Amino acid sequence: MAGRGKRGGASKKPPPNSSSNEEGNFVVFSNAKDEPKSKNSVSKASSRGEASKSQPDGENVPKKPDTRTLIGGASWTGKLPVNLLSEHCQKQKWEKPEYTMNRTPEGFSSMVILKRTNPKTKETAILPTIKIPSSHKHLAIQATAVEARHFAATYALFRVCNMLKIHMMLPPTYKDLWKGDFQQLKNSDFKDGKAWMYEADPFAAVKEREEAQSLMAKKREEKEKLKAKEGEKVPNIGSSGAGEGIRNNMRGWTRIPKVEMGKRTRLEVEELVRQNVIWNPHNIKLSEFQRRNIVNELISLEFRRSHIEEAVAECKDREETLEWLLVHVPEDDLPKWSLPEGYTAGISLASGNLKRDASIKRLAEAGYSSDICEKLLSKYDGDEDQAAEALQKSLVQKGDVVEDHTANKADSSFGFDQENKSIWVEEMGTLEAIFDSRFERSTSEQCIIGLQISSSKAPYRLSVRRSSSYPMSAPIMVVTSPELPAYIRLSVICHAVEHASANLLGEPMIFNLVDWLEASIPAIVDEPGKLRAVSTGASFLPRSSKSNIKSQTSASQRSTRKLDWQDGSRLSLAMLSHWRSRQSDPRQIKMLSQRQSLPAWKLQDDIVSAVNSHQVTIISGETGSGKSTQSVQFILDDMIQRQLGVAANIICTQPRRISVLGLADRVSDERCSSVGSEVGYAIRGEARQTPGVTKVSFVTTGVLLRRLQTSGGARDDVVAALSDVSHVFVDEVHERSLDTDFLLVLLRDVLSKRKDLKVILMSATLDAAVFEKYFRCTSSVGKVEIQGRTFPVDDYYLDDVIRITGFTIGGESRPVEKASTDVAYVTETIQTIGMQINYDLIANLVEALDSELGATEGGILIFLPGTAEINRTLDAVRRIPNIHALPLHASLLPDEQRRVFAQAPKGRRKVIAATNVAETSITIEDIVAVIDTGKVKETSFDPQNNMVKLEEKWASRAACKQRRGRAGRVQAGKCYKLYTRNAEAKMAERPEPEIRRVPLEQLCLSVRAMGISDVAAFVASSLTPPESLAVEGAMELLSRIGALDGSELTALGRHLAMIPADLRCAKLMVYGATYGCLEACLIIAAILTVKSPFVSPQNKRGESKAAKSSFARDQGDLIGDLRAYEDWSALKKTSHQRAIRMWCDEHYLSYNTLNDISSNRLQYLSSLKEVGFLPLNYDSSTDISLNAQTRNDALIRALISGAFNPQLARIDFPDKKYTTSMSGAVELDPEAKTIKYFNQDNGRVFVHPSSTLFDAQGFSSGAVYMSYFNKMATSKVFIRDLTPFNAYTLLLFSGPISLDTMGRGLVVDGWLRLRGWARIGVLVSRLRIMLDEVLAKKIESPALDLSSNEVVKIARKLVELDGLDR
């Protein structure tokens, strides 16, 4: 028991063994030194003396390894367990951990003592010694005291930090312990009701446990006073403490949500589960030892032996047996612990004929529909052999003779004569002798033979029953394998029966059938035949729609042509003739003269030669050199002149849409052609290209990646996807975006297989050596450096700017002459400004520059970190007369982005406030001055706590150099740096690659979707590999969201990989189509991609929030955004634009943002059609089944929560309070500030003030959980884009459900607890399996209408009504 000082009644002293003076027992305080300080120094000295005597004279004593080498190995450079535990205790404000040490003949063992002192009362709480259970005591025995102490520290860390990923920071040995033995111990303890041992705050856990004990004692006293019956003892499986059964069973369960299910609803779910669920589908056989253990264990849980034995015969393991019992055993015969609180026995819900259910399951294993199996089994009064033979004959004869067959069999009674039976018996003996261990005789009339399929590693089994007229007819066969879908199993049976009927009748044939099957199955798997021919008995056709989807993809693959490298072809000669004729065109001559003035033109021959001579060419060109516009033209013109124009197909990738659009326009102008002919582009949702005509295509990096990912999956398909491409230019590689690094890995692999493909890397600030080294191992690499054409640029730093403007904080500007000489004033102003962006200073500087430039034309470019800073800057500079201010960032529409290239209106000066999109991606010709704030907003990702942070940081020196260069494009320019020289010196040389600072789920899924099994190895082969922890976390999350099953891609995962959207948005859209609210989910996905349409002016935040709340109606932020968009969309159909804009202003909505959302919705809709998930003729107004539930808020909230899983938080309500009224006590709503939120990774989190739920005092539909789309850490960890949801949403759409066998309730996803009936957990768990199957069918067959599906309907009812009856 833990102590609480004097008040807690426990001693402040350490446990007795800490004060022992015996040699083998002593206490060691954690000082992270190499050796413990033993109190018995004499004994140690003696030991050292004896050790030294044992060394032979004249020999050197080997150097004793230090602690780091001993614990982590020679190469370990990380922290050690003792240090990590000490740091954790320090963070938690606990006392320094103490270690006991015990010496035994086997070695040393250690244990940890944790203490915490209350800063107010100064009382110290002491936890019981943290020691490993006796069953694993052997793990704790170590050779040295140092190793024993580090083992103890690791186990103590696991006990209090098992929910974190600290194991990734441990040395290899201890990392394996954490993931292996310790995790198994935790799982076992959870099953045994000892979850309290693994709480993050063990002191609070002990306190709560003591309170639970006190509460239980009080209840016992009350029962005794009332002379009530003594409460039933709650069984506790595997409990190590004899008296802990009921006393502590409610610790931590008294304040958690309760889940209930209405009687009628429960009956519906039970009926659905019993009709559709197949137990032990793989027919796993338990050993006699396993059966006996399960029976004994479940008897201790108070089930009847007869029920257990029946269940264990049907099920594969202990967990499934327990679930089977909870579903099938009548309620009035269930153990008391499994019943809900206050339960009284009512109508028995015993299942029907259990033997019959097992027969149906066995018949369906062949691939037949369960419904057909059930019907035929009824026709033959439960005779499984007759039903099996009827099914096989119906299959072979294409379902035309079932009725005739049954009539005949009713008369013949499947009579077997004695001669045929003796032939069967003799054949069984022969087969057993031949196949030995591969042969298994199930019954006298049935055997199972293991097949050996050389082309497959998966197990294949042939089950054979004797038919009524065997060997004059084929036996009844079932071929099973984990890798065979149902219709292929049926096809194998059909082919085998046909072969036997044609060649083997009249003699024993099973040996010959086995031989034929082993030889023929691979071919049948490759060509199973038409689905219609074998679909009569199939329970489902999961592969059919996949074939359709693939056919769409493969059709596009077949349309791609391979390059024709034969020179002098008719088309190439025609292109050459046309090109020569254009050279005399006056417009072309004018454009050519402009191109010849660029520095790149002088190196045209060098660039062409390098590209033709090497597979990879690295072109390094400074700003204004013309590398992006000219290099692609040099290569195209060279191919045309060499009469290879027909083979030219050049792709040039850019990181941003604005770069693609700008370059396509510029290069088209220089070639005197229109965009979409010789030069085209492709961005997401928009493309202008002409097949066979377009020779240069500018595309975003994501578009090219999508082309490679949807090529078919395998690496050969990736190569084939580029079969018609001659050159790939990758521009701006210095930015090291995630997509660019991913593309480089793929291209390096393609280059090893396509020696004629050319890859050209281009950048203004390229570390050529890094890229050269990366590609040198597979390809030859050439390099070209182009000098820039920039004019001289003068630099001015913050102190210079203050002198130039005479700027002061909060007052009148000082005279420039006086400011330029007052050093103290400048220093004081710099200190006052600090490192923040001062918008008044920017406005003053713009005004000073405008005055200085006078009549000289030229624009001013201001670099800022984000859109919020851009808006504030524009507000400040627009107050200056004659200023034409424009924003520039990636979120603008293409037409809005193009405005920055145009000349300013006459008499006005163009001022552009831009993000880093203007650094290298585009060139604005008339810029003469640059104002650089030196800041950038970057996303960073901490894989240890799964936290994404958007932080404002100093830009790198390389980025600032690019910004500076923009001032010298047309004349000598000036760069005004709003930071000091000292700050510049401390900037990083180059930015951190994006692959090392963002979550990697989408990347890992894309890699897996391309057929690459070892995702970690593929990612590790990138230019700058990310932390292995980030990859592991991404793979784990993909499994949790249902995209991966183990290491295999699920049907959902395949579609998520193909939909160009955030994984959560893509999953939401798939859910929307499945559950009948497609449009709502499409709109929400578009909102999450853009941003909320609501605006929040600084002086009207209250009104804005009220407007948003009026749409949300306590349903959550995203529902509010959705309903606002729907009203806007409806208004657009009936009103003029002016009225719509007025309505938007009244409701604090951004008209432009709503248009962006509408555009993104159309893009997502197009993507869903492209991947085959929606029909090409989909129309929201006519496809009613896909949108029947669009107004169902409860269902939409459930789908949002399911799509965002595991991003959810538990709502912790305070204790209820009441007030008196005329009608009695009335419950008061809790204050918003007393409601707390907790998630799995961070503990307590906080609702962002901008949320409509920030002031919520309660939640609709019994919501007790909250899903979120964004989590950001600033002063606190805030969650945003919130949606509340109820317990059944959690059960149906979150992680796995486990049962608490102490009768307290359910545990979801390993950390979320619900009080409730264990039977509810089993029913919902089985219903989830059925829902997953329905979802898989919908994904594989998108045209499937699920509006009347019983499983979907019952799931919808559960989340709408929170499990209650209507």
Side-chain angles (χ1 to χ4, degrees), residues 492-507:
V492 170
I493 295 171
C494 198
H495 281 82
V497 172
E498 290 173 356
H499 172 75
S501 300
N503 303 291
L504 304 175
L505 296 184
E507 298 291 338

Side-chain angles (χ1 to χ4, degrees), residues 14 17-20 23-40 44 82 85-86 96-102 108-115 145-146 148-150 152-153:
N17 60 355
S18 67
S19 60
S20 172
E23 179 179 344
N25 297 278
F26 46 87
V27 172
V28 181
F29 289 90
S30 175
N31 49 23
K33 299 296 182 182
D34 289 354
E35 294 293 341
K37 295 181 180 179
S38 173
K39 292 184 178 181
N40 199 336
K44 280 194 169 184
V82 165
L85 179 59
S86 294
K96 186 181 294 186
E98 299 177 10
Y99 296 83
T100 69
M101 189 65 64
N102 185 41
F108 293 86
S109 65
S110 179
M111 294 176 284
V112 176
I113 303 169
L114 296 181
K115 301 179 181 181
V146 174
R149 189 163 66 255
H150 283 280

Side-chain angles (χ1 to χ4, degrees), residues 354-367:
L354 302 181
K355 181 178 178 182
R356 172 187 174 82
D357 293 341
S359 296
I360 294 172
K361 179 199 69 175
R362 286 190 291 270
L363 292 171
E365 278 184 343

Side-chain angles (χ1 to χ4, degrees), residues 51-112:
S52 64
K53 291 177 184 178
S54 65
Q55 294 292 340
D57 293 336
E59 287 189 15
N60 292 327
V61 179
K63 184 180 179 181
K64 186 177 180 179
D66 60 15
T67 299
R68 185 172 300 279
T69 303
L70 183 64
I71 301 303
S75 60
W76 182 254
T77 59
K79 295 181 180 179
L80 300 180
V82 165
N83 305 81
L84 290 170
L85 179 59
S86 294
E87 290 177 6
H88 181 77
C89 292
Q90 186 176 4
K91 288 179 183 177
Q92 301 298 321
K93 298 182 179 178
W94 301 344
E95 299 293 314
K96 186 181 294 186
E98 299 177 10
Y99 296 83
T100 69
M101 189 65 64
N102 185 41
R103 188 170 188 175
T104 67
E106 293 83 11
F108 293 86
S109 65
S110 179
M111 294 176 284
V112 176

Side-chain angles (χ1 to χ4, degrees), residues 632-652:
V632 291
Q633 296 188 71
F634 293 160
I635 300 305
L636 177 59
D637 291 343
D638 173 68
M639 293 188 71
I640 292 174
Q641 292 178 74
R642 290 192 290 129
Q643 301 180 13
L644 289 171
V646 71
N649 186 9
I650 301 169
I651 292 178
C652 182

Side-chain angles (χ1 to χ4, degrees), residues 1116-1129:
D1117 299 326
L1118 296 178
I1119 296 292
D1121 293 342
L1122 166 66
R1123 300 310 177 202
Y1125 175 90
E1126 289 176 338
D1127 287 0
W1128 171 79
S1129 182

Side-chain angles (χ1 to χ4, degrees), residues 882-943:
N882 302 322
I883 292 297
H884 180 56
L886 297 170
L888 177 59
H889 51 83
S891 300
L892 294 175
L893 295 174
D895 288 341
E896 294 176 317
Q897 291 176 339
R898 289 191 180 103
R899 291 169 59 197
V900 301
F901 299 107
Q903 293 289 331
K906 191 172 182 180
R908 304 182 71 184
R909 187 171 308 283
K910 180 165 65 176
V911 175
I912 301 170
T915 60
N916 58 350
V917 70
E919 279 178 18
T920 56
S921 300
I922 60 170
T923 298
I924 305 170
E925 292 291 345
D926 57 350
I927 297 299
V928 295
V930 165
I931 301 174
D932 181 15
T933 62
K935 298 293 185 68
V936 65
K937 279 188 177 176
E938 280 188 351
T939 299
S940 63
F941 176 62
D942 183 353

